[in-house]
Amino acid sequence: MGKYVLKRIAISLLTLLAILFILFLMLEYMPGSPFNDEKLTEAQKILLYAKYGLDQPFFIKFFNYVSKMITGDFGVSYTINMNFAVGDMIASRLPITIKLGLQAITLGSLIGLLLGIVAAIKHNTWIDTITVMISTLGVSVPSYVFALGLAYFVGYKLGWFPILYNMSKAFESSVLPTLALSVFTIANVARFTRSEMIDVLGSDYIRLVQSKGVKEWKLILRHALRNALIPIVTVIGPLMVGLLTGSMVVEKIFAIPGIGSLMVNAIQMNDYNVVIAIAFVYSSLYIFTMLIVDILYGIIDPRIRIAKGGS
Amino acid sequence: MTLEEMKEYEFLDDDFKFAHNENEHLIDRSYSSTSYLKDVLANFMKNKGAIFGVVVVVLIIILAIIGPYLNDHTYKSILIEQASLPPRVPLLEKLGVFDGIRNGVNLYVERGFSDLYYWFGSDTQGRDIFTRVWEGTRVSLIIAFTAVIIDIMIGMVYGLISGYFGGKIDIFMQRFAEILNGIPQLVIVTLLGLVLPPGIVSIIFALMITGWIGMSRISRAQVLKLKEHEYILASKTLGARDFAIIFKDILPNIFGQIIIMSMFSIPNAIFMEAYLSFVGLGVPAPLASLGSLINEGYKSITVMPHIITSSIVVLALLMLSFNLFADGLRDAFDPKMKQV
């Protein structure tokens, strides 16, 4: 187990380094120089390059870049907030995005689990069919379609919740975006839970438990769900990606001041430092989540632990 | 009767009687053997969702090909005086739908265009949405199909080589893929979209960079399974070279899996393209794609919802039917895989 965890951590760190390298290359080979003031003479430029360490060999520059990025020094914004530290911009917006993401994944997992369990118990009835339809729809239709639909019908036509984010009414404002984001999670979790539960409910040990006369709710919660949950943990990784992609567009639609909408703005205004910083934050979050999920999976399922640790 | 008596007992003719089975006939039912493909087709036809998916996909593809030529409008002609007209279709307008009426006013009559028909309405610059939607669908489909075909090529070769040779090559190639896979696709696509000049080729390139990993995994797993088979051993014994074994003996047998996987990749590519266009890294105007149309339409969603409706509906339908189609294909090819 220890070996497996160590290997996973090593790969995660390598991945992070690879991302930093890509980001660094992007900056390095982007056309233009940071000092494009016409009044500067060649000699002055050379001095400036020396001052900021830009004349050093490639790998030393890369090393400096990495040490800066991991300490959260992302430079300053060019166009969105002139000369404002990008690190601070992200720090003030990140909590909103994370809160929204956590809300969506919690709500989505709960509803998804419930739908999946009910569908598996009522296998081959109309309830099952409807659940399958909902989950196919939710998996295939992008979250911003739901976001636009919710914004138009529930937000604008019915007027139940604000369409645009309002700081003073943070909870009400987050209802629609959370719903829009959670659809993907609901659909995926429901799909997985259903197929796993159907498998587990048909197995011999469940029949044994049934014949011993255990109550139905206890049978489902204690004996069936526990084993069905193991593979469901694996979907959480891909779901996080879905949340990342979704959050950018959904935040933009509902004008939520999180890092997703900041990213979209930065892309549209060519604010490279901001884009790179957020790309780095996104990647780190993603890699970290995947690492946790993989390790969790190893802990929950002894078969994985032994097979992967041994190889 | 004791044992002794039984031993000495002589059987008489009427001790045993025939059962009344004259009317029972043993029928030897014989089925004609079906080929694998016929089996697959039969399984596929049973799946209603998959049939729906195929029909809608084919319909949308046909419309994407002929749609832009179905009326006299072009996708880029700007007629400001005809801007923002709601949808109006002949015949249907008499039924009270698609009648060009917004807030109780027939805008066509009011602005003096009684003979004009915009089937899906016109956008804020007076371009025909019907033509633009199908033009956009075409661009989206071209991008998705090209990206996925390139993905298949790269991923297949990568997976085949990695799985077939094994050992150090495999470990190295798998670590590389694992590291690349650790970077969210969204981040790579966004960064590339930002660096490359805007256009269809750049988007395809961005999608291609990350899309092949899934494909390579599938083909590697299949190769690992197949290469232990006897027919590969036979081929080797007969002196076939690695190249021939990989491409002649193994490749045809993993094609089914790859087709299924690619059917799942297409909606993903469509989605990624739509995402790129939505954040402003899509095809440059006046070209349209489903994503850029949604991006244009969402700004006026509360005032003129008709601008966005058609592109959203087409996008949602397209993704849904591709997924249904892929699901059906997977279940038909390999019922054991019916899981996710």
Side-chain angles (χ1 to χ4, degrees), chain B residues 88-156:
Chain B
R88 186 188 187 200
V89 181
L91 297 176
L92 281 182
E93 62 180 332
K94 296 194 182 88
L95 301 173
V97 284
F98 291 100
D99 50 4
I101 292 176
R102 181 161 64 230
N103 301 331
V105 183
N106 189 328
L107 290 172
Y108 288 84
V109 177
E110 199 189 53
R111 293 201 211 158
F113 302 123
S114 302
D115 299 335
L116 205 62
Y117 288 95
Y118 280 110
W119 296 339
F120 285 176
S122 64
D123 67 7
T124 48
Q125 299 186 43
R127 291 175 295 198
D128 177 34
I129 295 178
F130 183 84
T131 311
R132 280 180 72 73
V133 161
W134 298 121
E135 191 70 35
T137 311
R138 181 194 292 185
V139 170
S140 290
L141 282 174
I142 289 175
I143 290 175
F145 273 106
T146 321
V148 168
I149 288 172
I150 298 174
D151 280 351
I152 292 179
M153 307 244 203
I154 301 176
M156 215 166 56

Side-chain angles (χ1 to χ4, degrees), chain A residues 11 15 19 23 26 136-137 140 142 144 148 152 156 191-192 195 245 248-249 252 267-268 272 275 279 286-287, chain B residues 178-179 182-184 186 190-191 195 271 274-275 278-279 281 301-302 305 308 312 319-320 323 327 339-340:
Chain A
I11 288 177
T15 313
I19 292 164
L23 296 177
M26 238 188 91
T136 315
L137 208 69
S140 35
Y144 64 80
L148 286 169
Y152 184 70
Y156 176 70
R191 226 176 180 195
F192 246 85
S195 69
T245 337
M248 278 176 71
V249 183
K252 175 85 181 153
I267 291 170
Q268 283 162 356
Y272 288 122
V275 172
Y286 175 63
I287 292 170
Chain B
E178 211 169 319
I179 288 171
I183 309 173
L186 166 89
T190 311
L191 292 178
V195 177
F271 170 68
Y275 153 77
F278 191 83
V279 299
L281 297 172
I301 182 168
T302 50
I308 197 170
I312 281 267
M319 306 245 322
L320 179 65
N323 271 307
D327 271 345
Q339 247 189 6
V340 190

